[in-house]
Amino acid sequence: QELHESRAELESALRRQIELYDHQPVGSFTMDLQWMLHELNQTGADMLGIGRDDALGLPLDAFFGADSVRQLKAAMASLAAGARRASCAIWLCPKNGPDRPALASIGHDPAASRYLVSLTDTPEGA
């Protein structure tokens, strides 16, 4: 009985963490060294203008302009040089809707050879 209750509590806590991840006010992504998306939250899928399942396996850089990709690569290079986090202003190019400014923050995924990326909408010109 005690094990059953513990399992139910753990499953409830896991469901809550998944809900929190999906509904964060920022897009959250996990990508590999080739920019392929492995995980993303629902907010991130909405920001990209594509279904969540459809986004998996796509290159994240397909959703940015060329200048933004260069800025992101420079931010990733600073991580490779030892920085814990890096950020840059970029232009997001969603599959549906107009291009818009965003702030990208990048860090290393502590559980894999991947990057954690968050995107936050920013007011134009900020």
Side-chain angles (χ1 to χ4, degrees):
Q1 179 65 23
E2 191 173 311
L3 286 174
H4 179 70
E5 289 173 9
S6 292
R7 181 180 176 151
E9 287 175 22
L10 286 172
E11 287 175 352
S12 177
L14 177 61
R15 275 191 305 276
R16 178 67 178 139
Q17 289 303 309
I18 291 169
E19 288 173 3
L20 289 173
Y21 175 71
D22 269 345
H23 299 289
Q24 290 181 56
V26 300
S28 295
F29 308 87
T30 303
M31 68 176 192
D32 63 24
L33 300 174
Q34 289 75 42
W35 295 66
M36 296 299 161
L37 287 168
H38 290 271
E39 299 170 315
L40 69 158
N41 66 355
Q42 187 59 52
T43 302
D46 294 344
M47 290 177 82
L48 299 180
I50 190 168
R52 187 179 191 170
D53 290 338
D54 296 330
L56 295 174
L58 293 178
L60 184 58
D61 59 348
F63 298 93
F64 306 115
D67 188 50
S68 294
V69 171
R70 282 190 292 278
Q71 291 174 329
L72 286 163
K73 285 183 179 181
M76 291 168 65
S78 71
L79 292 175
R84 291 187 58 203
R85 287 181 207 86
S87 62
C88 57
I90 53 102
W91 277 88
L92 180 61
C93 306
K95 293 299 178 195
N96 64 359
D99 295 358
R100 63 183 193 267
L103 176 66
S105 298
I106 307 168
H108 288 286
D109 181 347
S113 296
R114 296 182 178 162
Y115 292 100
L116 303 174
V117 179
S118 67
L119 296 179
T120 306
D121 283 317
T122 59
E124 194 165 341

